Amino acid sequence: MKHKIGIIGAGPAGIACAIQLRRFGLEPVIYEKAEVGGLLKNANFVENYLGFPFGISPAYLIEGFMNHLVRYEVDIRYQEVISVEYQEKKFLLKTRAEENFFDYLVIASGTRPRRLEAFDKQGKDKVFYEVFPLKKVKGKEIGIIGAGDAAFDYALTLASTNQVKIFNRTDQIKCLPLLFERCEKNANIKYFPEKVLKSLTDKEKYLSVEFTYHNERVEYLLDYIIFATGRDPQLGFLDGSLQKHFEKLKEEQRLYLIGDVKNELNRQVAIAAGDGIRVAMEINIKLSKA
Ligand SMILES: Cc1cc2nc3c(=O)[nH]c(=O)nc-3n(C[C@H](O)[C@H](O)[C@H](O)COP(=O)(O)OP(=O)(O)OC[C@H]3O[C@@H](n4cnc5c(N)ncnc54)[C@H](O)[C@@H]3O)c2cc1C
């Protein structure tokens, strides 16, 4: 009997796992709710992927991932997994279009932004959590809340066609020094430390954004605001029946988590891809002993 392997997510982790499984002659199925490449579509420029000494654009890398999936004839289904149950010693994956049982499950679902719901309501359709939806806008005033790599990376992406302001609630910067230096040198990017966000007011044509700065209120008028205030593992599809057996199934090597969904702060493409290849090799060894 053929063992069925399901993978949730077609970011670098899920793709690398599927391709390595195909190289062993196995036939995984990937479910992807959005697009191939995952979070990478939000990156400005990738400079730490081996083999590209002068960096590579995320779009080009994603195109390569896509070609790799096609070359290895990976079965990829563009459907959101809405729940995973554990029934009759198998994983039951449910999407809106199908239900499918699997013997092995690889979760490569990445992370989702930590939402600040009070501000979402205030700012309505001018509030974003990723840069991707704004990549094509021009001539706008855009605020970014955050002080990590994502905040400064988003600023560099937007600054070629917009004016960008980065607001940090403290004076501590948490991004790579090289990202900070590039933003400092860019005339279209301004950095504001010690600005604590108090409120957003949607004024139809623009967003009034209020901060406190050393006990004083300051207002900025912006077109959009992006929150780059952290991300959490994306695991909302796990049903209680699976959660009950979760640790045991991981120990038995039938359930795996790979990539950003489990890598906490070590969220990088090469680490995610490496996780995917390692787990494919572990599954192959397990199956060859079965
Ligand atoms: C601004 C920014 C810049 C970055 N720059 C770099 C860089 O220069 N170098 C670097 O190495 N890394 C960089 N990264 C990090 C890199 O993008 C991630 O580490 C990498 O994409 C993680 O891969 P992953 O496969 O684990 O998860 P993801 O890329 O997040 O992919 C997860 C996939 O799972 C899918 N999914 C989730 N839930 C479901 C579901 N229920 N059903 C179906 N599909 C689902 C998602 O749609 C997504 O496609 C950057 C990230 C950001 C945000």
Side-chain angles (χ1 to χ4, degrees):
M1 189 193 96
K2 246 188 179 160
H3 291 275
K4 287 179 69 183
I5 306 165
I7 300 175
I8 304 177
I15 296 170
C17 186
I19 288 168
Q20 188 67 20
L21 288 167
R22 293 290 295 135
R23 295 184 69 221
F24 292 125
L26 298 165
E27 292 178 6
V29 178
I30 306 189
Y31 289 90
E32 170 53 55
K33 69 175 176 178
E35 292 149 37
V36 163
L39 196 58
L40 201 50
K41 63 178 180 287
N42 282 286
N44 179 49
F45 199 57
V46 178
E47 293 175 322
N48 60 347
Y49 200 72
L50 280 187
F52 300 95
F54 302 101
I56 184 168
S57 84
Y60 189 78
L61 199 50
I62 291 169
E63 196 184 322
F65 290 169
M66 197 68 215
N67 292 339
H68 222 142
L69 285 167
V70 171
R71 158 85 174 81
Y72 280 86
E73 297 179 349
V74 174
D75 181 350
I76 172 158
R77 302 182 190 177
Y78 290 94
Q79 298 171 31
E80 178 177 5
V81 174
I82 49 176
S83 86
V84 185
E85 295 170 18
Y86 190 61
Q87 279 190 22
E88 296 161 32
K89 301 202 171 169
K90 287 184 192 285
F91 301 97
L92 174 60
L93 263 72
K94 291 185 179 175
T95 72
R96 283 178 192 88
E98 64 180 48
E99 295 189 1
N100 219 335
F101 279 101
F102 291 94
D103 303 293
Y104 291 84
L105 176 65
V106 181
I107 299 177
S109 51
T111 53
R112 64 192 161 113
R114 213 167 285 151
R115 297 192 83 95
L116 303 164
E117 279 169 21
F119 292 123
D120 284 1
K121 280 187 197 138
Q122 293 171 2
K124 297 182 186 156
D125 59 351
K126 298 180 178 70
V127 174
F128 293 85
Y129 284 88
E130 291 183 353
V131 76
F132 183 68
L134 294 178
K135 268 193 167 174
K136 290 191 179 145
V137 302
K138 289 186 180 137
K140 302 290 182 190
E141 289 276 345
I142 303 174
I144 299 174
I145 309 281
D149 286 344
F152 288 85
D153 201 80
Y154 291 172
L156 290 168
T157 298
L158 294 167
S160 54
T161 51
N162 303 280
Q163 297 294 316
V164 184
K165 293 182 169 60
I166 305 172
F167 301 101
N168 177 4
R169 67 182 167 170
T170 71
D171 59 0
Q172 305 292 308
I173 294 152
K174 295 184 199 145
C175 70
L176 279 172
L178 66 86
L179 286 179
F180 185 73
E181 282 158 25
R182 283 175 199 167
C183 287
E184 248 189 335
K185 282 186 195 147
N186 191 313
N188 291 340
I189 302 175
K190 299 270 176 294
Y191 168 67
F192 299 89
E194 298 179 77
K195 291 273 196 303
V196 181
L197 180 62
K198 285 293 156 195
S199 69
L200 305 179
T201 312
D202 184 9
K203 304 262 187 183
E204 301 262 322
K205 285 201 174 140
Y206 58 85
L207 202 54
S208 156
V209 185
E210 271 205 336
F211 296 87
T212 50
Y213 177 68
H214 295 180
N215 294 327
E216 284 188 20
R217 289 231 163 205
V218 251
E219 183 194 28
Y220 292 89
L221 303 181
L222 304 170
D223 292 296
Y224 303 113
I225 199 140
I226 307 181
F227 286 99
T229 44
R231 303 184 66 89
D232 295 312
Q234 189 152 221
L235 288 167
F237 44 79
L238 297 180
D239 179 74
S241 58
L242 176 56
Q243 282 177 19
K244 215 163 89 187
H245 301 277
F246 202 77
E247 291 307 321
K248 192 166 157 275
L249 287 163
K250 279 203 305 184
E251 267 167 41
E252 286 174 3
Q253 294 189 303
R254 289 190 48 216
L255 171 67
Y256 298 87
L257 271 73
I258 59 172
D260 280 15
V261 72
K262 67 126 179 103
N263 283 341
E264 300 182 357
L265 292 179
N266 302 322
R267 301 198 300 249
Q268 297 290 309
V269 179
I271 300 176
D275 279 356
I277 293 176
R278 179 181 48 76
V279 158
M281 295 177 83
E282 284 175 16
I283 293 175
N284 183 54
I285 289 170
K286 187 130 197 276
L287 291 182
S288 56
K289 284 183 188 158

